[in-house]
């Protein structure tokens, strides 16, 4: 029995998992980004597990509106499993229903579905349970240390996550003004969510990039970047 279980678990671990952006009916136009934002955060959390092979968001998201079945998405991405999700807001209560599904790509069969209900302001809390249940289903259970990896120091505040995403976009313009704007957004994200490890890592990179763009003195920039990356690694050693 144990041999059969290990063989089955190994087969599941060999396959990759693709997370699609969440569909959403949220009325607030300022939350238009949240479908992709939540899926990106879920992808990052699942990718922390060494035993899971998680397809990059850029590849998965490119197929989101292509009208493909899970089987077709799996074939294009080499994924054994496809995760889809939806956000549905109850206007009267202000709560949001976060529903996620895990589909086996080779058969189009639903293997797991889960629902979490959260106020709009704390939607990220729903990802704790969803990521744990998803990972446990794909790899036949989690040990305690793996659960801790999934829940550790991701974004815990929607505004902080939005600022982080906007900062990355701004920094990629590779202009002095946009890099300064990115630094300001990351600093605001950290002020809101001081345990958001990725924001510290992004801040360190932006400081170094700004030095290159503006030919700034090395030592003060290195000190700021070093402090930021040290805090990022303290919060999430896997970032190293």
């Amino acid at each position: 029995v144990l041999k059969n279980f290990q063989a089955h678990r190994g087969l599941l671990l060999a396959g990759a998992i693709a997370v699609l952006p969440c569909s959403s009916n949220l009325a607030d136009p300022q939350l238009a980004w949240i479908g992709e934002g939540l899926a990106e955060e879920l992808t990052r959390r699942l990718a922390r597990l060494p035993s899971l092979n998680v397809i990059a968001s850029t590849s998965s998201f490119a197929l989101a509106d292509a009208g493909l079945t899970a089987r077709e998405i799996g074939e294009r991405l080499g994924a054994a499993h496809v995760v889809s999700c939806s956000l549905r807001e109850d206007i009267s209560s202000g709560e949001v229903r976060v529903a996620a599904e895990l589909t086996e790509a080779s058969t189009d069969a639903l293997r797991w579905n889960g629902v979490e209900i959260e106020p709009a302001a704390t939607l990220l809390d729903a990802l704790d349970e969803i990521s744990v249940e998803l990972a446990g289903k794909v790899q036949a259970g989690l040990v305690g240390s793996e659960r801790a990896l999934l829940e550790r120091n991701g974004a815990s505040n929607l505004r902080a996550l939005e600022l982080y995403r906007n900062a990355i976009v701004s920094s990629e313009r590779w202009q002095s003004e946009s890099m300064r704007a990115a630094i300001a957004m990351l600093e605001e994200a950290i002020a809101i969510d001081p345990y958001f490890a990725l924001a510290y890592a992004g801040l360190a990179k932006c400081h170094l990039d700004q030095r290159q763009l503006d030919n700034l003195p090395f030592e003060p920039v290195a000190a700021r970047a070093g402090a930021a990356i040290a805090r990022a690694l303290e919060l999430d050693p896997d970032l190293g």
Side-chain angles (χ1 to χ4, degrees):
V1 174
L2 179 60
K3 183 182 293 185
N4 289 339
F5 170 77
Q6 290 174 333
H8 177 63
R9 188 174 192 271
L11 183 62
L12 291 175
L13 291 177
I17 184 168
V19 180
L20 302 179
C22 303
S23 63
S24 171
N25 76 338
L26 301 187
D28 188 347
Q30 294 186 352
L31 292 178
W33 62 275
I34 196 64
E36 288 192 358
L38 284 182
E40 287 173 353
E41 180 66 14
L42 179 58
T43 298
R44 279 195 291 267
R45 293 189 188 200
L46 293 174
R48 290 174 180 168
L49 296 181
S51 54
L52 286 186
N53 180 13
V54 184
I55 303 293
S57 295
T58 50
S59 299
S60 298
F61 287 12
L63 300 181
D65 298 321
L68 302 176
T69 65
R71 184 195 298 268
E72 291 167 330
I73 290 172
E75 288 174 351
R76 294 201 185 188
L77 297 177
H81 304 91
V82 176
V83 177
S84 57
C85 55
S86 64
L87 309 175
R88 296 294 178 261
E89 184 177 23
D90 184 334
I91 303 299
S92 61
S93 68
E95 292 183 324
V96 178
R97 180 180 183 272
V98 184
E101 294 184 346
L102 177 71
T103 302
E104 188 171 54
S106 62
T107 62
D108 271 328
L110 180 66
R111 292 200 54 211
W112 172 86
N113 68 324
V115 175
E116 297 289 326
I117 298 176
E118 291 284 342
T122 59
L123 270 180
L124 287 168
D125 291 347
L127 292 189
D128 284 344
E129 197 59 36
I130 286 174
S131 61
V132 166
E133 290 191 33
L134 271 172
K137 189 63 177 179
V138 172
Q139 64 173 49
L142 293 175
V143 298
S145 59
E146 291 175 320
R147 183 179 182 116
L149 277 176
L150 289 171
E151 296 178 345
R152 186 181 65 204
N153 298 321
S156 61
N157 181 281
L158 277 182
R159 177 58 179 160
L161 179 59
E162 181 182 20
L163 285 164
Y164 170 80
R165 295 178 80 248
N166 290 343
I168 297 305
V169 172
S170 183
S171 69
E172 288 174 349
R173 296 191 182 102
W174 199 250
Q175 299 170 351
S176 294
E177 184 177 350
S178 62
M179 197 65 69
R180 286 193 293 270
I183 289 172
M185 285 186 277
L186 289 166
E187 289 175 339
E188 184 179 351
I190 289 168
I192 294 170
D193 187 354
Y195 299 100
F196 188 6
L198 275 177
Y200 287 96
L203 181 61
K205 183 178 185 305
C206 285
H207 276 309
L208 295 174
D209 289 344
Q210 186 188 34
R211 175 183 178 271
Q212 185 175 348
L213 284 167
D214 295 343
N215 195 28
L216 298 175
F218 173 76
E219 289 188 2
V221 173
R224 290 192 292 271
I229 198 62
R231 180 57 173 157
L233 292 173
E234 179 184 1
L235 291 169
D236 189 350
D238 288 338
L239 290 176

